[in-house]
Amino acid sequence: MSAKLGRTLGVALTGLEGRLVDVEAHISAQLPHFSVTGLPDKACGQAPDRVRSAAATSGFPLPPQRITVNLSPASIPKQGTGFDVAIALAVLGAAGIVDPRRIAGVVHLGELGLDGSVRGVRGILPSVLAAARAGVRHVVVPPANVAEAQLVHGVTVHAAPTLADLVSWYAVRSGLDPLPVAGPVQEDGEARIRDIDLADVVGQSEARLALELAAVGEHHLLMNGPPGVGKTMLAERLVTILPPLSREQALETHAIRSLTGDAIRASELDRTPPFVAPHHSASMTSITGGGSGVVLPGAISRAHCGVLFLDEAGEFRTSVLQQLRQPLESGEVTISRAKQLVRYPARFQLVLATNPCPCGRAWGKGIDCVCSALEQRSYANKLSGPLIDRIDIQMMVSPVSRLAFAEERGESSAVVLERVLAARAAQAERWADRGWTTNARVPGHALRRSPLRLPGRVTAQVDRALDHGLVTLRGYDRTLRLAWSSADLAGRTSPDAEDVGLALTLRSQGSAAA
């Protein structure tokens, strides 16, 4: 048999960035051999065994000749089993079993089972997004991944249950019938919306105000206090008073979920900000991302556009906590490997909760505390000064007395959210011409210079604190940002001395915590 060619499309991912890959197959009359070239990893390099078995069990055995598949551009690493379907169709096109013209401009994604079934893979959403940006209008995905693929506008999604179905679609014949389009996927009922509300918190009026300010300006938050005072309850309810995500933000968060293998059950975007709470035994890789082979996003990227909550922060390894400093400033994490450089977004709100000491009873006079002075110091030093200095709000959360039971139920999340949305709208209008969205993202030098520089009578307290070395220049800037959020929450056009005083108080409490 003379040599024949078949060609279709796949997508190679590097982090969230995808690039179209030409999957080319060549069959020649030589000794039987099946090879894949173009920098495949081990999983991708094992595709010939899966493709040969799937084709045979589907009733389309491959010819006993030399089969060469090239994944172009060959200089880009290809990872995972998502190229199986594209490789199989390119080979079948070269063998004359399917029409090479019909598969040439279609992206095919999915893993093949030995029985010919098309199985779901990770990273479908960022792959389809990359295909759409490259101008592709038709993608074929596994049935398990239809919901996330349909989140992308401008692309027609087709679901292929088996390789036999694909062959019947693309079989060589005179007519060119359109591929069947996948129907919309409905919520299967297994997903549960977290039934939590800020009204569940008893008392803690000062902590509730701090939480509201954090939501208004996108500020980081540290809560220090004895066990059982409601620190975790408050942190979990922060997402209930955060504005819903924009479509672009929701697509980014869903793309990260797709890479980590989290199920996406419906074809509608979930606009709820993510809430990620890793255990204190989490490793550095699980927090920042990485891994051998495929570089996966960590907790800080899964919390992108949402909240990263570190409960029992004093129990985390110091090296893990120090890794948070750079992403807090840049909003992304860069993971370097010998063959690739992967960037993931990591624009999150950090919420830390910690006890005053290992036993948690060094509160007030600390009479019941069983920790030595050295143990208390070592525990507090886990949260280093440079990390603490990056936390805008540093709260001391006091125990709740029985008198709080008699108080009226606190405001619900819906009521607080209305105020947060109004304050966010004021920020969006004020910073629109400068390209910022929230107060926490405003550079410090902009707040210290005209026309945003506040009068000396307003900043007198924080000016004195800076002169006496009580706050750093970074702390000075963060105090000003928090003061602007306080003014937005109160409906004022600019902060006054009361706003600056409140901001300085909320930050100064953290010095006792650290």
Side-chain angles (χ1 to χ4, degrees):
M1 185 182 79
S2 60
K4 293 183 179 180
L5 286 171
R7 180 181 287 109
T8 188
L9 297 174
V11 177
L13 290 175
T14 302
L16 290 182
E17 299 297 321
R19 181 166 177 178
L20 282 187
V21 172
D22 283 322
V23 182
E24 307 165 316
H26 175 267
I27 298 179
S28 59
Q30 300 180 40
L31 291 177
H33 182 67
F34 194 157
S35 63
V36 177
T37 64
L39 283 185
D41 67 355
K42 187 171 183 178
C44 185
Q46 294 171 342
D49 295 330
R50 294 189 294 272
V51 169
R52 191 180 292 278
S53 297
T57 55
S58 300
F60 311 100
L62 301 182
Q65 295 175 303
R66 184 177 185 85
I67 302 173
T68 303
V69 173
N70 181 49
L71 307 178
S72 177
S75 59
I76 300 176
K78 319 300 187 305
Q79 299 171 336
T81 58
F83 289 95
D84 285 5
V85 172
I87 291 172
L89 288 175
V91 172
L92 292 174
I97 297 175
V98 301
D99 189 344
R101 298 171 300 169
R102 303 195 66 198
I103 63 174
V106 181
V107 166
H108 295 91
L109 306 168
E111 175 186 329
L112 282 177
L114 301 186
D115 58 353
S117 60
V118 179
R119 298 173 180 173
V121 293
R122 293 180 176 182
I124 288 292
L125 179 53
S127 297
V128 177
L129 281 169
R133 295 189 188 108
V136 174
R137 291 295 170 260
H138 294 273
V139 296
V140 177
V141 301
N145 299 122
V146 169
E148 56 186 294
Q150 289 179 337
L151 295 175
V152 182
H153 291 168
V155 175
T156 303
V157 178
H158 312 274
T162 66
L163 181 61
D165 292 319
L166 285 167
V167 173
S168 67
W169 295 354
Y170 295 124
V172 177
R173 55 179 182 264
S174 57
L176 294 178
D177 299 331
L179 300 179
V181 178
V185 178
Q186 302 297 328
E187 189 89 21
D188 61 9
E190 295 181 4
R192 293 287 185 269
I193 299 175
R194 302 184 71 186
D195 186 19
I196 56 177
D197 196 283
L198 194 57
D200 301 334
V201 179
V202 176
Q204 302 295 7
S205 57
E206 189 176 2
R208 287 172 60 99
L209 173 61
L211 200 71
E212 189 171 345
L213 284 171
V216 164
E218 208 175 14
H219 302 289
H220 307 305
L221 172 65
L222 165 66
M223 293 181 286
N224 184 291
V229 298
K231 301 187 297 292
T232 301
M233 284 187 69
L234 286 162
E236 289 177 339
R237 282 150 181 79
L238 177 56
V239 293
T240 67
I241 60 174
L242 288 177
L245 303 179
S246 66
R247 176 172 176 79
E248 291 73 19
Q249 291 173 326
L251 277 174
E252 271 195 315
T253 60
H254 281 65
I256 293 170
R257 287 174 54 190
S258 177
L259 282 176
T260 57
D262 292 346
I264 298 176
R265 296 184 174 91
S267 303
E268 295 182 2
L269 285 173
D270 182 4
R271 304 295 181 96
T272 305
F275 180 85
V276 179
H279 191 261
H280 59 74
S281 62
S283 66
M284 187 183 303
T285 299
S286 68
I287 296 294
T288 60
S292 59
V294 181
V295 179
L296 294 176
I300 62 175
S301 295
R302 290 188 284 113
H304 179 59
C305 297
V307 175
L308 176 67
F309 176 48
L310 302 186
D311 200 5
E312 304 294 343
E315 301 294 340
F316 280 81
R317 287 195 285 270
T318 303
S319 59
V320 172
L321 293 173
Q322 296 310 309
Q323 288 293 313
L324 299 175
R325 288 160 55 180
Q326 184 268 335
L328 284 175
E329 297 290 342
S330 65
E332 69 173 14
V333 59
T334 303
I335 304 169
S336 299
R337 293 291 182 266
K339 295 183 179 180
Q340 59 182 331
L341 186 69
V342 180
R343 289 185 174 87
Y344 285 116
R347 181 73 65 182
F348 57 90
Q349 276 188 263
L350 178 63
V351 178
L352 302 174
T354 185
N355 295 326
C357 67
C359 76
R361 289 177 287 188
W363 180 258
K365 296 182 179 179
I367 299 175
D368 298 328
C369 180
V370 298
C371 304
S372 66
L374 178 61
E375 287 175 326
Q376 291 185 25
R377 252 193 330 270
S378 299
Y379 193 78
N381 287 339
K382 286 286 191 73
L383 302 178
S384 67
L387 176 61
I388 290 293
D389 204 31
R390 288 170 166 84
I391 309 299
D392 301 19
I393 304 175
Q394 302 166 17
M395 278 294 305
M396 301 294 287
V397 185
S398 306
V400 178
S401 67
R402 190 161 54 88
L403 295 176
F405 298 164
E407 297 177 1
E408 292 186 6
R409 196 166 184 254
E411 291 180 318
S412 67
S413 295
V415 173
V416 176
L417 179 58
E418 289 184 7
R419 291 199 297 268
V420 171
L421 290 175
R424 285 284 185 105
Q427 294 173 60
E429 182 179 356
R430 179 170 61 246
W431 308 127
D433 295 338
R434 297 177 171 88
W436 308 314
T437 54
T438 59
N439 294 326
R441 302 193 188 188
V442 180
H445 62 80
L447 296 177
R448 287 182 265 109
R449 297 174 185 168
S450 179
L452 298 177
R453 171 69 181 173
L454 298 175
R457 56 181 172 77
V458 174
T459 62
Q461 293 184 65
V462 69
D463 289 340
R464 286 194 298 271
L466 180 64
D467 292 340
H468 294 160
L470 301 178
V471 298
T472 64
L473 183 58
R474 181 191 290 119
Y476 184 93
D477 294 339
R478 291 186 178 275
T479 301
L480 293 181
R481 296 184 185 118
L482 189 55
W484 277 96
S485 294
S486 176
D488 290 331
L489 186 59
R492 290 186 284 270
T493 56
S494 65
D496 58 18
E498 183 180 347
D499 294 316
V500 174
L502 174 62
L504 191 60
T505 300
L506 290 177
R507 282 193 59 81
S508 64
Q509 290 184 12
S511 59

